[in-house]
Amino acid sequence: MRESAAERRLVADEVAVRPRTVLTVLVGVHAINDFYVTVLPAFLPALADEFNLSYTDLGVLSFAFTLLTGVLSPLVGGEADRRGRRRWILVFGFLIGAVGFLGMAASPSFWLIVAVSLFCGLGGATYHPQATAFIVSAYPDKRGRMLGLHGWGGSFGHFAAPAAVVLAVSVLNWRLTMVALAIPMVIAAAILQWRLREIPAAPAVRLRGAFSVPLLMLSLSFGAVAMVGMSFINFSVKMLVDEGWDTNDAGVILTVILLVGVVAQPLGGWASDRVGGRTVMMIAAVGTTLFVALFALTDGALSLVAIGGISFCMFSLFPVSLAMASQLAPPTQTGASIGVVFGVSGLLTALAKPAVGILGDVTGDIRVALSWLLPLALVAVVLAYRLGPSARSAPAAPPS
């Protein structure tokens, strides 16, 4: 007896609701999503050559590329919680991101590229709050570990992007490469629409209910580390090219450096469950400070090791901050609380990039500008230390 279309859809929904299926789908899609977080640094040398751009210009583009991720993440996460449209918002985010890359590829001027890149930030605002809500709903008593595994997918995307993009640009050109980058985003949207089933809405939820002093402190603590880490990642390829490296070699080097995230994210999630999020935050902030100091005092291979260490510390905090944020708000407001953390930290990292670019132009050396991030790393240590008692440990929530 043949199944009807409605019966086949019902079976697909039942399969999609299994926790393992949710995790598998989101690990894969996370790799696609976070691939786009580190694609821009690989484009910067080509864009700088074509449009004769300064470090300040490149910082402005990087700011625009991530601005709406920071501004809109809390709003999008809260609205998704309230209306129960998390899957739809995920799908929309990937499609609007694809539009952003197509728009940049077709732009005839640098400033139009800057304007169109805002669509990429809008797409980026949709992923992490919603994905975290799905995973926490599927694994309420193992959130740190499972968010760490989810982060493994993101780390794979992070480290694959620089080498893949610089090699594609050398074969195609930067415009055709941006067109090609739209394709995986459309595929990700289709997978999410097909394999995920919506989790219940919370109509009474309001965004302001997700805000709290502990959540804001967590956002600032994670944001300070992310400002340092993302500034190094953003300017590394251009820095190496300016120092005489081949563009392809510089992209491959950044890919090798970012490989540390494949270990860092699962390790951070596991450690969060075992010793508490605040402890992991403290260790990562202190580590970031020491590695920035190593970068400032060295050059050559040792400075690249320092960038790897900075990246390791930052990536280890992604699952930690997600798990802690999900426990600092009611279960019905997971998306909003994650949106606050990613919104605040995203806005801070967006602001840091043009600031570092301006400092690089003023000093005439982007290495000097990056070294001046040391005080910011020390601020991250203070913020992590001041996290309140509710953030000192991350006990697992009981199954609902």
Side-chain angles (χ1 to χ4, degrees):
M1 182 175 179
R2 300 182 62 181
E3 293 179 319
S4 67
E7 289 173 330
R8 287 196 299 273
R9 284 195 299 271
L10 179 60
V11 170
D13 278 348
E14 289 301 323
V15 171
V17 81
R18 294 174 184 168
R20 185 174 297 179
T21 302
V22 172
L23 183 64
T24 301
V25 168
L26 290 175
V27 167
V29 173
H30 196 196
I32 297 174
N33 181 82
D34 281 19
F35 181 93
Y36 295 89
V37 174
T38 50
V39 293
L40 189 61
F43 281 111
L44 295 185
L47 293 172
D49 288 344
E50 178 156 340
F51 297 105
N52 191 27
L53 304 178
S54 66
Y55 276 113
T56 300
D57 295 328
L58 298 177
V60 169
L61 173 58
S62 302
F63 168 78
F65 190 79
T66 55
L67 174 62
L68 291 184
T69 299
V71 172
L72 295 180
S73 282
L75 300 175
V76 172
E79 190 67 10
D81 286 341
R82 191 167 70 87
R83 295 185 179 273
R85 302 299 299 274
R86 298 174 183 88
R87 180 178 65 174
W88 183 89
I89 287 175
L90 281 172
V91 171
F92 170 79
F94 278 103
L95 293 178
I96 200 67
V99 169
F101 277 98
L102 292 174
M104 285 194 291
S107 297
S109 70
F110 169 69
W111 290 107
L112 189 55
I113 290 175
V114 171
V116 174
S117 72
L118 291 168
F119 284 98
C120 297
L122 175 58
T126 66
Y127 183 76
H128 288 96
Q130 280 52 257
T132 304
F134 277 108
I135 291 173
V136 169
S137 176
Y139 294 96
D141 56 339
K142 297 180 181 178
R143 63 186 68 192
R145 178 184 173 192
M146 296 307 168
L147 287 169
L149 293 176
H150 173 247
W152 183 88
S155 295
F156 181 85
H158 280 133
F159 92 80
V165 170
V166 294
L167 293 174
V169 169
S170 69
V171 173
L172 302 172
N173 63 48
W174 68 266
R175 293 186 186 275
L176 289 178
T177 300
M178 284 190 174
V179 171
L181 287 178
I183 297 172
M185 303 189 89
V186 175
I187 293 173
I191 291 171
L192 289 165
Q193 179 64 27
W194 174 46
R195 298 300 291 167
L196 286 186
R197 191 174 75 177
E198 189 56 74
I199 54 181
V205 164
R206 294 293 182 270
L207 178 59
R208 65 182 181 182
F211 283 93
S212 65
V213 172
L215 188 63
L216 181 59
M217 288 297 297
L218 170 64
S219 303
L220 292 173
S221 180
F222 173 59
V225 174
M227 289 171 75
V228 176
M230 292 307 296
S231 293
F232 272 89
I233 290 171
N234 190 68
F235 289 107
S236 288
V237 174
K238 184 65 168 62
M239 178 188 73
L240 293 174
V241 170
D242 287 351
E243 293 176 352
W245 288 64
D246 176 77
T247 302
N248 290 348
D249 292 341
V252 170
I253 285 294
L254 182 56
T255 279
V256 172
I257 288 172
L258 295 181
L259 182 61
V260 300
V262 176
V263 177
Q265 293 218 39
L267 181 61
W270 172 83
S272 177
D273 283 342
R274 293 296 297 270
V275 301
R278 179 182 178 274
T279 300
V280 181
M281 282 275 184
M282 278 291 299
I283 294 171
V286 171
T288 299
T289 302
L290 295 176
F291 282 118
V292 174
L294 177 63
F295 176 85
L297 296 172
T298 61
D299 54 19
L302 272 179
S303 69
L304 297 179
V305 170
I307 297 175
I310 293 165
S311 301
F312 184 94
C313 293
M314 180 186 70
F315 286 129
S316 72
L317 294 187
F318 275 85
V320 177
S321 60
L322 294 177
M324 292 171 69
S326 71
Q327 292 170 328
L328 289 172
T332 54
Q333 292 184 307
T334 297
S337 62
I338 300 302
V340 170
V341 172
F342 265 80
V344 172
S345 62
L347 186 57
L348 291 174
T349 57
L351 291 169
K353 294 168 187 176
V356 172
I358 292 170
L359 187 57
D361 286 332
V362 169
T363 62
D365 189 341
I366 195 65
R367 276 188 175 269
V368 173
L370 291 170
S371 298
W372 274 99
L373 290 169
L374 182 60
L376 184 58
L378 291 170
V379 170
V381 175
V382 175
L383 290 170
Y385 178 78
R386 291 181 63 85
L387 286 174
S390 59
R392 291 178 185 271
S393 60
S400 56

